[in-house]
Amino acid sequence: MGPRPEYAARDTKDENMFDIKRKTIDWAGRPLTLETGRIARQADGAVLATYGETIVLATVVYGRAPKPGLDFFPLTVNYQEKTFAAGKIPGGYFKREGRPTEKETLVSRLIDRPIRPLFVKGFKNETQVVITVLQHDLENDPDIVGMVATSAALTLSGVPFMGPIGAARVGYIDGEFVLNPTLDQMPDSQLDLVVAGTSDALMMVESEAKELSEQVMLDALMFAHRGMQPVIDAIIEMAEHAAKDPFDFQAEDHSGVVTQIQSLVGEDIKAAYTHPGKHARHEAVGAAKKKASAALVKTDENPDGVDSAKFGVAWKECEAHVLRRDIIDNAHRVDGRALDKVRDIVSEVGIFPRTHGSALFTRGETQAIVVATLGTGEDEQYVDSLAGTYKEKFLLHYNFPPYSVGETGRMGGAGRREIGHGKLAWRAIRPMLPTSEEFPYTIRIVSEITESNGSSSMASVCGASLALMDAGVPLKKPVSGIAMGLILEPSGEFAILSDILGDEDHLGDMDFKVAGTRDGITSLQMDIKVAGITEEIMKKAIAQASAGRLHILDEMDKAIDGARTELGEYAPKIESIKVPVDKIRDIIGTGGKIIREIVEKTGAKINIEDDGTVKIAASDQEKIDAAKNWISSIVSEPEPGMIYSGKVVKVVDFGAFVNFFGAKDGLVHVSQIALERVANPADVLSEGQEVKVKFLGFDDRGKTKLSMKVVDQSTGEDLTDKINAERAERGEAPLTEDTGGGGKKREGGGDRGGDRGRGRSRRD
């Protein structure tokens, strides 16, 4: 569907007011248009990106002077989805967008990660990027469009940004890579891969995969990199006509201070990094820093010293140089390990006997308590997105308290980092979960990081796999994860590190996390701090990660190597049955009367889905069986010749009405109450009395016929054949065919749905 006429008219109206620049390319079979000069003209950079009919606005504003005293780059990225973009009104009392959703937080991180390393080193001016989804066509995910728009806005703004970057999503459908698959195509894809990069390097990777091989993943990365090149070219061409003059920024030279620090405490830093323990190492590094600071930083006693912020930057450079050269020159890591060695691992399961599943995973100085909780359909999370509301049955929450790194700090809700790390672990585990039909539970995983020194997110993956198996969740295969690092020198020398420590992550050039089973990768995440990661480096990193992942799985197997065959004592029990869709309203009843009665009388929880799947949950099997029998009796019909337990609901002159099959009542005629003649049914039967009846079928008017006289009221045995044999010996005719023969005992249903059934019988 093309643009509205009035929208097209506005594109060309009054060129004197707007200095509009546009660039349109065909990208993966759809038009991508970048426009600037019409909207948000007071921002330093603003680009309206349209892909298909998804429209995203990205703006950039930066300060012209650095904030004093900062030793970090104050960049803020805010991605926001407006519900009007999908023709929706927000829920809630205030009917307006509130705190960022999980999707908005994750996409904000997704955009931040590849652009942050590309700002000129030393730039400390406050910079804010705001990305707003203005229209969503429900085909093209706005996250990729937002990354492209951000790259273009930064390139046009004049900020010292060494871009542009491109971005692309890659799917893997029927053995073929698909560039920027639509939302409708994604359910058929074995891969959801998002990649960002420059013209000659990858900068960021985020993915979820269905156990794909290392080679397929590497090929997908290269396919994505090639696929984003037309976007990079289009941004460069647009910048030639629309970019602002570059901001005059000269990075401060710290080389003199670095030299002074090295001469004063270079050997002290080197000695400090020989301590294998984190706290001892940090104390030694802190002592060296304090010594250098006392000699070099400006104070009242040392008015010719350097500014503390400048000293801080120089210190980091000096520290990084010592650590990096030791690794490159001597293959010596901080804790003395070989480059490809994983720290010692201890895996434990069942540490909390009353939880449904629990694990303690310890790898060196990184540790996670992970607990699995099983719930019913009532525990599913409703997620309201631009593409529509859906239910999520697998939740993974990651918590990082400050004590895990030996610090004090604010305790509150989940921050961006916690949401991002939790989602990474979620992506790693989800491909190995059973289907809803195989395991009809809502699953929640909570990972509490109790110690952290490198890759707590991968510890969460390992702990989650262990806890799920401990809970009896039939994982297809166990999953482990490992974090890889990289030291890349300007000379081209490089070293790849397995199972990186926090210091190696902080001072290195790459954070590369791989999770998967013995047979393939389920999630891959990468962040690069330098431009120039080659295919050769990527290939080696993936291969080294594979070996580490398999080693970790071997260590995990020592605790548990497969799911327990039974759920824990305290886990709820759930069974699923399928009913015809047209019978759902019969189970629910008018105003929910029937289902409330089932829940109240059986004690089971019941969840009914639109496709006729009924999930029944309870603490013990008897309650499940009672609810299941009740529902089965509602949706099915009684079988002629079968014996049922029932309850007398009304006694009349000509017999008694018996509730015998769920909500169904039937008439036991006075002649069918007993073998001997019954003058008055009230002399034999009373309301509420438990009886056993045989279903004889329906008469010619469609009324239900029941018999008590051919059923042993104590045992439920069908006496038809026995009675007829006795009658034959006496020379009497057999019972009429109304009494039937060959009945079988069927329990249940006697005290259920009586009111509804009586109403139906009286109408009959």
Side-chain angles (χ1 to χ4, degrees), residues 583-598 606 608-609 631 634 756:
K583 294 287 187 179
I584 293 177
R585 62 181 180 181
D586 294 334
I587 301 173
I588 296 174
T590 304
K593 177 181 178 182
I594 301 301
I595 195 168
R596 284 199 302 270
E597 186 178 8
I598 298 173
I606 299 171
I608 305 176
E609 299 180 2
I631 292 170
I634 293 174
R756 182 168 173 259

Side-chain angles (χ1 to χ4, degrees), residues 272-287:
Y273 275 106
T274 62
H275 291 285
K278 174 182 173 181
H279 288 294
R281 182 168 62 252
H282 285 189
E283 284 180 10
V285 170

Side-chain angles (χ1 to χ4, degrees), residues 473-681:
V473 178
L475 276 186
K476 296 171 187 175
K477 294 170 189 173
V479 181
S480 72
I482 186 170
M484 311 294 294
L486 172 71
I487 304 297
L488 177 63
E489 292 292 88
S491 62
E493 301 170 282
F494 71 90
I496 295 172
L497 315 177
S498 295
D499 182 25
I500 55 173
L501 299 174
D503 290 331
E504 293 169 338
D505 181 14
H506 177 62
L507 300 175
D509 298 315
M510 177 178 75
D511 183 11
F512 185 63
K513 297 171 182 174
V514 185
T517 69
R518 296 185 188 280
D519 299 318
I521 292 172
T522 57
S523 184
L524 188 154
Q525 184 187 82
M526 182 180 73
D527 291 303
I528 301 295
K529 301 175 187 176
V530 293
I533 302 300
T534 64
E535 184 175 355
E536 174 198 0
I537 294 175
M538 287 291 301
K539 193 169 186 177
K540 185 174 180 181
I542 288 178
Q544 193 167 313
S546 176
R549 193 176 79 241
L550 296 179
H551 168 74
I552 295 171
L553 282 169
D554 289 339
E555 295 298 309
M556 291 166 57
D557 284 348
K558 295 176 182 179
I560 187 170
D561 59 1
R564 301 194 189 280
T565 55
E566 295 183 358
L567 301 183
E569 177 185 357
Y570 300 100
K573 296 173 176 59
I574 301 179
E575 290 189 16
S576 293
I577 59 174
K578 198 85 169 179
V579 303
V581 174
D582 60 356
K583 294 287 187 179
I584 293 177
R585 62 181 180 181
D586 294 334
I587 301 173
I588 296 174
T590 304
K593 177 181 178 182
I594 301 301
I595 195 168
R596 284 199 302 270
E597 186 178 8
I598 298 173
V599 170
E600 180 183 342
K601 292 189 176 181
T602 65
K605 292 182 178 180
I606 299 171
N607 179 263
I608 305 176
E609 299 180 2
D610 293 341
D611 65 352
T613 300
V614 181
K615 296 178 182 178
I616 307 168
S619 56
D620 60 68
Q621 192 63 40
E622 287 185 3
K623 295 177 180 179
I624 291 177
D625 290 341
K628 187 164 63 173
N629 289 338
W630 192 333
I631 292 170
S632 296
S633 71
I634 293 174
V635 300
S636 58
E637 298 293 333
E639 300 177 35
M642 296 293 289
I643 307 297
Y644 295 92
S645 295
K647 180 184 288 186
V648 176
V649 294
K650 187 173 182 65
V651 180
V652 293
D653 293 341
F654 51 85
F657 289 101
V658 175
N659 171 222
F660 74 104
F661 190 79
K664 294 179 176 64
D665 293 351
L667 174 65
V668 180
H669 190 268
V670 65
S671 63
Q672 296 293 340
I673 294 177
L675 290 172
E676 62 276 5
R677 183 177 181 278
V678 176
N680 184 4

Side-chain angles (χ1 to χ4, degrees), residues 168-416:
R169 171 173 272 106
V170 174
Y172 191 59
I173 303 173
D174 296 330
E176 299 289 337
F177 294 122
V178 179
L179 184 64
N180 294 340
T182 64
L183 294 179
D184 290 339
Q185 289 177 296
M186 286 308 298
D188 299 322
S189 178
Q190 292 181 275
L191 175 66
D192 183 3
L193 172 70
V194 175
V195 180
T198 62
S199 59
D200 56 4
L202 299 177
M203 299 300 299
M204 186 278 301
V205 176
E206 189 76 49
S207 68
E208 179 182 341
K210 295 181 180 177
E211 227 179 353
L212 297 179
S213 70
E214 282 76 4
Q215 187 60 51
V216 170
M217 293 298 291
L218 182 61
D219 290 345
L221 292 175
M222 296 303 107
F223 178 82
H225 191 242
R226 292 191 299 272
M228 70 179 69
Q229 296 310 308
V231 175
I232 295 174
D233 293 340
I235 295 173
I236 292 173
E237 184 176 337
M238 188 178 188
E240 292 174 353
H241 301 282
K244 295 180 179 178
D245 293 335
F247 177 63
D248 185 16
F249 172 76
Q250 298 295 326
E252 195 171 358
D253 182 13
H254 301 102
S255 58
V257 184
V258 171
T259 301
Q260 288 179 294
I261 293 173
Q262 279 189 306
S263 64
L264 277 171
V265 295
E267 291 302 316
D268 294 347
I269 297 173
K270 202 168 185 178
Y273 275 106
T274 62
H275 291 285
K278 174 182 173 181
H279 288 294
R281 182 168 62 252
H282 285 189
E283 284 180 10
V285 170
K289 185 177 182 180
K290 186 176 181 180
K291 177 181 175 182
S293 175
L296 299 176
V297 174
K298 181 188 293 184
T299 62
D300 292 339
E301 292 76 21
N302 183 17
D304 297 326
V306 299
D307 181 80
S308 60
K310 185 174 181 178
F311 172 82
V313 173
W315 173 264
K316 287 182 180 178
E317 289 184 19
C318 185
E319 193 179 7
H321 176 75
V322 170
L323 173 65
R324 293 164 67 91
R325 288 314 313 176
D326 203 19
I327 291 174
I328 293 291
D329 296 337
N330 307 313
H332 179 269
R333 299 179 65 175
V334 170
D335 57 359
R337 280 182 293 148
L339 300 184
D340 61 350
K341 183 174 175 58
V342 178
R343 289 171 288 175
D344 291 341
I345 291 171
V346 177
S347 301
E348 303 172 58
V349 295
I351 60 171
F352 304 128
R354 290 187 70 91
T355 59
H356 302 163
S358 58
L360 178 66
F361 181 82
T362 308
R363 186 190 62 242
E365 294 176 303
T366 296
Q367 184 182 74
I369 291 175
V370 187
V371 179
T373 305
L374 306 180
T376 67
E378 294 180 355
D379 299 308
E380 292 177 335
Q381 181 183 22
Y382 282 83
V383 180
D384 191 17
S385 70
L386 290 184
T389 300
Y390 64 93
K391 293 188 290 186
E392 180 56 63
K393 62 165 288 187
F394 175 51
L395 314 174
L396 196 152
H397 297 145
Y398 165 102
N399 297 313
F400 191 85
Y403 68 76
S404 65
V405 288
E407 297 177 356
T408 61
R410 184 184 65 86
M411 298 287 288
R416 283 190 174 190

